[in-house]
Amino acid sequence: YIQNTNAQWGGSIYANNSLDVHNSKFSDSKAKYCAAIYAQGNISSEGSSFKNLNAGETGGAIGLREVISGEINNCTFENDTS
């Protein structure tokens, strides 16, 4: 997921249900809220990288709402802003 822009919520992924993201790369993306992922529900991410992401309002890389269970393991975050 590279160079996604002009999104309102979740520059690359907007998920209303459970989400599993593994060994993925998110870079150089922009959104108003949550430049890489916006998730409602359970989330799991492992071995993914989040680099050069910008959210104009909140959630530079990942934004979560109403999450019951969440795991983020062995992920890298670099130069992500909101």
Side-chain angles (χ1 to χ4, degrees), residues 1-2 6 17 19 30 37 48 56 62-64 74 81:
Y1 303 93
I2 299 171
N6 298 322
N17 295 307
L19 176 66
K30 295 180 182 180
I37 298 170
S48 297
I62 299 174
L64 307 174
N74 299 316
T81 60

Side-chain angles (χ1 to χ4, degrees), residues 15-20 39-44 66-71:
N16 282 323
N17 295 307
S18 294
L19 176 66
D20 292 317
Q40 292 182 333
N42 301 334
I43 183 171
S44 170
E66 299 175 9
V67 173
I68 296 168
S69 173
E71 272 189 53

Side-chain angles (χ1 to χ4, degrees), residues 47-59:
S48 297
S49 67
F50 301 85
K51 183 176 180 180
N52 299 326
L53 303 171
N54 178 264
E57 296 289 326
T58 188

Side-chain angles (χ1 to χ4, degrees), residues 68-79:
I68 296 168
S69 173
E71 272 189 53
I72 298 175
N73 296 306
N74 299 316
C75 294
T76 59
F77 295 85
E78 182 181 341
N79 197 36

